[in-house]
Amino acid sequence: MTNAAPHLYFCSALDKAEDWRSALAAHLPAFKMSVEGDDYDPATVDVALVWTIPDGLLARFSDLKAVLSLGAGVNQIDPSQIPAHVPLARLVDETLTRTMVDYAKAVVYRYHRCLDQFEKASNDARWMFIAPKATSETFVAILGLGQLGRAIAFALRDEGFRVGGWSRSAQPLAGIETFAERHGLTTLVSRADIVINVLPLTRHTTHILCGELFQYFRRGSRLVNIGRGQHLVEDDLLQAISAGILSGATLDVTAVEPLPPSHPFWHHPDILVTPHVAGLSSPTSAAPMVAHNIRRAMTGQVLLNQVDLARGY
Amino acid sequence: MTNAAPHLYFCSALDKAEDWRSALAAHLPAFKMSVEGDDYDPATVDVALVWTIPDGLLARFSDLKAVLSLGAGVNQIDPSQIPAHVPLARLVDETLTRTMVDYAKAVVYRYHRCLDQFEKASNDARWMFIAPKATSETFVAILGLGQLGRAIAFALRDEGFRVGGWSRSAQPLAGIETFAERHGLTTLVSRADIVINVLPLTRHTTHILCGELFQYFRRGSRLVNIGRGQHLVEDDLLQAISAGILSGATLDVTAVEPLPPSHPFWHHPDILVTPHVAGLSSPTSAAPMVAHNIRRAMTGQVLLNQVDLARGY
């Protein structure tokens, strides 16, 4: 056990060091935070707070005790950059969870109440009556039942939607039909009106949303991707929509971000692209958990939300 | 008190007599239902179930005991067609309420999570990041705190939105800031990000959504009309959007329905027209209350949800 103030190294192209410094100050009595360009001794860095890891950075931190991801996912982190004895933890943040849940509700209700169809009809000056359905008549499938997937599943269940969920290992969840294994995945998507992907990106889930899986989707169903762009084979989605299997998609993530102006997803009448806005983590609400993990790292304890690098999440 | 089976006369261009006949059969042991073209004695009609009242129809029903509206509103009914001693009741139906609540959630979440802006950006191939807000940062004003307005207000409050409500007479509602009088109306709309109209249509509320009121709206706010088309001065809305006071509107009702193809609301980039689909009543779920009112009419009791014709709701 050490009583020295922890020395943090902060590195992110997306997050502001100052926001994190002041958020953490409310939960850690004393710490030092260095960023690129600062004059500091790499041998004294205890914990790295990172979005991505610049090549070779961590090799210089000879006393590094933990790497804390600034993202809920860790797929943007190259595990080969992390020394074998150093643990990595994901960010779990209630603001991130809440914003993701709200985004899922917004997209699900938009489809459930046919607002996408009315938007199109409105542009065509068509008064096209579609009788409203009860939420219990719309089946939403959640792929991925981690922290975020479970929160979304419970929230939609509480809105009255029928909800099913799929994860690698089976888990019972109150009021949710849960599925596992490949067979469970194809069964679940075959029943769903709306499929929401919130899986972690691993070598097993890369390109899981592909033509082979779309074959099992219910005719006229919709895909919502709030996982990672690499979960989806983009050409296969375009083909599945052309073939009438899927009737629409909402994509908050794409293989290349920002999505290039020439990409066919833009302008597509059945695809809504949102610019990676589904979830936003807040240093203020995430700081208690991060401060907790810094204390755990300093005292050699297992981290909260520690990532199994072999599994990838 | 009469023990005879009630004789109902059914008249609607929107509802199917057969649906109502079978729904009511589950709640009334015996009744007769006549429709236009049937061979029946007008003097034996006890209760009229109507959407609108054809001119002179009720004058032929010399023993009429009640008129039951098939709509939640009664503005489509000409009160001069109803004999002075015959009471009129509105329809209160949980399916109608629930579908209206869901519609309000769909539209509010769409605005709250900027899906309307992303739809436009998507058409323009623009990757335009807008940071998500918490529901507590969006203020929704509900104009009208009757059965439907209260249900919408409570549902949005439960989603975490800030909710304010306005009605003719002040009423305290848990977790809702309530307002009354003209001053309360202008105060409320000046604070709201989204204003939802669900007022009854009366001579006091006709054209209440007009340029004079829009002056008080918060810059960039949105209007949602799920009341009646006649609440809105349509040209004033177009002007308020042009002037940048309102940044958008969702209209489920219009002065003329179906909205004529040449109407400027169609194609308008900031206006979403939905074809009067916000709420749908269901004979199945409404039948218990209607059957109850038929029994009350037969025994001369005051009706549930009886309309004050002088007040108009």
Side-chain angles (χ1 to χ4, degrees):
Chain A
M1 173 132 182
T2 171
N3 286 312
H7 182 185
L8 315 178
Y9 184 85
F10 183 93
C11 172
S12 172
L14 299 177
D15 307 85
K16 292 193 186 112
E18 282 320 302
D19 291 350
W20 276 95
R21 196 193 300 271
S22 53
L24 286 172
H27 303 276
L28 287 176
F31 65 93
K32 178 181 173 181
M33 183 187 277
S34 301
V35 299
E36 198 191 348
D38 284 353
D39 184 20
Y40 69 95
D41 177 4
T44 64
V45 170
D46 297 299
V47 174
L49 265 73
V50 299
W51 170 244
T52 56
I53 304 175
D55 195 28
L57 175 76
L58 301 192
R60 296 160 49 219
F61 301 161
S62 54
D63 196 27
L64 189 67
K65 298 171 182 70
V67 178
L68 306 182
S69 169
L70 293 167
V74 294
N75 62 286
Q76 76 287 357
I77 289 176
D78 174 1
S80 74
Q81 293 288 331
I82 305 178
H85 67 283
V86 176
L88 167 67
R90 294 181 302 110
L91 191 75
V92 171
D93 169 25
E94 68 172 43
T95 299
L96 180 73
T97 304
R98 209 182 50 221
T99 47
M100 294 281 273
V101 166
D102 288 348
Y103 180 93
K105 285 185 188 173
V107 173
V108 166
Y109 268 112
R110 175 173 176 266
Y111 282 141
H112 172 64
R113 292 308 298 262
C114 309
L115 296 187
D116 59 324
Q117 295 182 64
F118 295 135
E119 285 154 17
K120 283 196 243 179
S122 204
N123 291 334
D124 299 345
R126 272 187 296 128
W127 185 271
M128 173 185 68
F129 182 80
I130 306 171
K133 291 189 299 180
T135 52
S136 60
E137 295 174 271
T138 291
F139 190 117
V140 185
I142 315 290
L143 310 189
L145 294 172
Q147 196 100 13
L148 292 172
R150 285 198 304 273
I152 292 168
F154 290 141
L156 294 175
R157 174 201 66 189
D158 292 348
E159 299 285 329
F161 292 101
R162 279 186 63 204
V163 181
W166 181 77
S167 56
R168 200 166 82 143
S169 40
Q171 51 177 308
L173 296 176
I176 316 282
E177 296 177 63
T178 55
F179 299 81
E181 308 293 335
R182 178 72 189 177
H183 175 70
L185 178 60
T186 55
T187 304
L188 175 60
V189 299
S190 73
R191 296 191 192 161
D193 299 296
I194 302 168
V195 175
I196 302 180
N197 173 53
V198 63
L199 284 163
L201 184 66
T202 70
R203 65 181 192 284
H204 298 293
T205 66
T206 296
H207 290 173
I208 193 170
L209 305 170
C210 64
E212 204 275 323
L213 184 64
F214 293 147
Q215 285 180 33
Y216 295 93
F217 273 51
R218 198 164 160 173
R219 214 172 165 80
S221 61
R222 274 75 170 249
L223 175 69
V224 180
N225 193 9
I226 50 178
R228 290 285 179 250
Q230 291 76 16
H231 283 124
L232 174 67
V233 180
E234 299 189 336
D235 283 343
D236 289 6
L237 172 64
L238 292 168
Q239 226 174 314
I241 294 177
S242 296
I245 298 170
L246 284 158
S247 71
T250 300
L251 307 173
D252 189 54
V253 289
T254 48
V256 178
E257 295 179 11
L259 191 66
S262 61
H263 198 285
F265 286 170
W266 297 121
H267 309 290
H268 193 296
D270 301 313
I271 295 177
L272 174 60
V273 173
T274 62
H276 209 138
V277 295
L280 188 73
S281 55
S282 149
T284 309
S285 62
M289 175 256 172
V290 171
H292 202 73
N293 261 349
I294 292 168
R295 280 191 296 268
R296 284 176 165 253
M298 296 304 284
T299 53
Q301 296 175 71
V302 172
L303 302 180
L304 298 177
N305 307 300
Q306 189 164 322
V307 172
D308 176 343
L309 281 176
R311 200 177 59 163
Y313 60 96
Chain B
M1 173 136 180
T2 171
N3 287 313
H7 182 184
L8 314 178
Y9 184 86
F10 184 92
C11 173
S12 172
L14 300 177
D15 306 86
K16 292 194 185 109
E18 282 319 303
D19 292 349
W20 277 96
R21 196 192 302 271
S22 53
L24 286 172
H27 302 278
L28 287 176
F31 64 94
K32 177 179 173 183
M33 184 187 278
S34 301
V35 298
E36 197 190 348
D38 285 352
D39 184 18
Y40 69 96
D41 177 3
T44 64
V45 170
D46 297 299
V47 174
L49 265 71
V50 298
W51 170 245
T52 56
I53 304 174
D55 196 28
L57 175 77
L58 302 191
R60 297 160 48 218
F61 300 161
S62 53
D63 196 26
L64 189 67
K65 297 171 183 69
V67 179
L68 307 182
S69 169
L70 293 168
V74 293
N75 61 285
Q76 76 285 358
I77 290 177
D78 174 1
S80 74
Q81 293 288 331
I82 305 177
H85 67 281
V86 175
L88 168 68
R90 295 182 299 113
L91 191 75
V92 172
D93 169 27
E94 68 173 43
T95 298
L96 180 73
T97 305
R98 209 182 50 222
T99 48
M100 294 280 271
V101 165
D102 288 348
Y103 180 93
K105 284 186 189 175
V107 172
V108 165
Y109 268 114
R110 175 173 177 266
Y111 282 140
H112 172 65
R113 291 307 299 262
C114 308
L115 296 187
D116 61 323
Q117 295 182 64
F118 295 135
E119 285 153 16
K120 283 196 243 178
S122 205
N123 292 334
D124 298 347
R126 271 186 299 127
W127 185 270
M128 173 185 67
F129 182 80
I130 305 172
K133 291 189 299 181
T135 51
S136 59
E137 295 173 271
T138 291
F139 190 118
V140 185
I142 315 290
L143 310 188
L145 295 172
Q147 197 101 10
L148 292 172
R150 284 199 305 274
I152 292 168
F154 290 142
L156 294 175
R157 174 201 66 189
D158 292 348
E159 299 284 330
F161 291 101
R162 279 186 63 204
V163 180
W166 182 77
S167 56
R168 201 167 80 142
S169 40
Q171 51 177 305
L173 297 175
I176 316 282
E177 295 177 62
T178 55
F179 299 81
E181 309 292 337
R182 177 71 188 178
H183 176 70
L185 178 60
T186 55
T187 304
L188 175 59
V189 298
S190 73
R191 295 191 192 161
D193 299 296
I194 301 168
V195 175
I196 302 180
N197 173 54
V198 63
L199 285 164
L201 185 65
T202 69
R203 65 181 193 282
H204 298 293
T205 65
T206 296
H207 289 172
I208 193 170
L209 304 170
C210 64
E212 203 275 323
L213 184 65
F214 293 147
Q215 285 179 34
Y216 294 94
F217 273 51
R218 198 164 161 173
R219 214 172 165 80
S221 61
R222 274 76 170 247
L223 175 69
V224 180
N225 193 9
I226 49 178
R228 291 284 180 252
Q230 292 74 16
H231 283 125
L232 175 67
V233 181
E234 298 189 337
D235 283 342
D236 289 5
L237 173 64
L238 292 169
Q239 226 174 314
I241 294 176
S242 297
I245 297 170
L246 284 158
S247 70
T250 299
L251 308 172
D252 189 54
V253 289
T254 48
V256 178
E257 294 179 12
L259 191 66
S262 61
H263 198 286
F265 285 171
W266 297 121
H267 309 290
H268 194 296
D270 302 313
I271 295 177
L272 174 60
V273 173
T274 63
H276 208 138
V277 294
L280 188 74
S281 55
S282 150
T284 309
S285 62
M289 176 256 172
V290 171
H292 202 72
N293 261 349
I294 291 167
R295 280 191 296 266
R296 284 175 165 255
M298 296 304 284
T299 54
Q301 297 175 70
V302 172
L303 303 179
L304 298 177
N305 307 301
Q306 189 164 324
V307 173
D308 176 343
L309 282 177
R311 200 176 58 162
Y313 61 95

